[in-house]
Amino acid sequence: MKLITICSDSHDLLMHRHFLPSIPPSLTPVVERTVQQGSGVHMAQGFVQAMREKLSVVLRYTKTEQKPFIYSDVDVRFNTLLDPVPSLTKIIDDGGYDMACQNDYGGVCMGFMVIIPTRKNADFLQAVLDHMDSNPSICDQRAFYEMRVSRTYSDTAKPIIKLLDVTDGFGNFCQIQPNVLWQPENNALEKNRDIVQRQFMWHANHTIGVENKMKMLDRFKEICQNA
């Protein structure tokens, strides 16, 4: 399965220390470079523009690929002891889903998505991109949510989405401690070691700054290696 990511200078260390070295053999990584937009910190200056560029890349692959693919941000580390592809394939096939996306407070996280490259998905993602262009202050995730609940976009044309969480093996911190931004002194990962060790991957998105993301993924690596 093809694994698409985009990366700018601010996230190079995450990509080379955690993302790329942990990718299982069943995934073929494709790295798209993008020009740095601001600091790379969530909702700081340049963040929305960077997310627009990310969505444009995802949309392009949705139009050109022939088989389901993964889009993942680089603040992700895979569990090198587990292969996520059989589970993802089964989830998509058995459930009849158009997409499978990481669960983020009960909504879609656009930092980890499995997408079937269909006209339906491409049209919806184009609508999300158009919505961002009409509302320059909202990020991709907010635009996705608003289009998903919008009455102006046909319900039958909206993708059927499976939300992936820790019970499926696709974890992030909000699924362990909702509404908490992780800090290095927080030992919730260690307290939930049995859950963490069962994850195919971990997304370090509920913390602020590359340094904290690095530390969180260091913890995930250590916990998985000492299963």
Side-chain angles (χ1 to χ4, degrees), residues 39-144:
S39 65
V41 174
H42 180 73
M43 293 311 294
Q45 184 177 3
F47 180 82
V48 171
Q49 179 58 30
M51 295 304 97
R52 189 197 182 284
E53 291 184 17
K54 177 179 86 172
L55 180 55
S56 296
V57 169
V58 175
L59 176 59
R60 170 158 52 85
Y61 280 94
T62 304
K63 291 179 177 179
T64 59
E65 287 300 301
Q66 301 300 313
K67 296 180 180 180
F69 67 93
I70 297 173
Y71 170 80
S72 177
D73 288 347
V74 296
D75 58 342
V76 160
R77 183 176 182 92
F78 292 91
N79 185 342
T80 56
L81 302 178
L82 302 174
D83 182 358
V85 171
S87 180
L88 286 174
T89 301
K90 181 175 174 56
I91 286 171
I92 290 287
D93 290 347
D94 290 357
Y97 297 105
D98 299 302
M99 300 182 187
C101 307
Q102 194 174 48
N103 190 336
D104 198 11
Y105 293 121
V108 167
C109 173
M110 296 192 69
F112 189 86
M113 306 182 290
V114 186
I115 298 176
I116 300 176
T118 60
R119 175 68 179 272
K120 178 182 181 180
N121 282 340
D123 287 349
F124 182 77
L125 292 176
Q126 181 65 63
V128 174
L129 192 61
D130 293 344
H131 189 51
M132 289 186 74
D133 289 341
S134 299
N135 301 271
S137 65
I138 65 173
C139 68
D140 57 335
Q141 197 150 306
R142 181 66 187 179
F144 193 106

Side-chain angles (χ1 to χ4, degrees), residues 5 14-24 29-31 74 76:
T5 194
L14 277 165
M15 181 173 69
H16 291 294
R17 180 165 167 177
H18 285 296
F19 185 73
L20 290 178
S22 68
I23 293 174
V30 177
V31 178
V74 296
V76 160

Side-chain angles (χ1 to χ4, degrees), residues 171-186:
N172 62 24
F173 195 70
C174 81
Q175 298 167 19
I176 290 179
Q177 284 193 339
N179 300 310
V180 172
L181 285 176
W182 184 84
Q183 296 289 339
E185 61 270 19
N186 188 319

Side-chain angles (χ1 to χ4, degrees), residues 23-43:
I23 293 174
S26 59
L27 296 177
T28 302
V30 177
V31 178
E32 297 258 357
R33 297 296 306 183
T34 186
V35 176
Q36 183 70 37
Q37 300 282 349
S39 65
V41 174
H42 180 73
M43 293 311 294

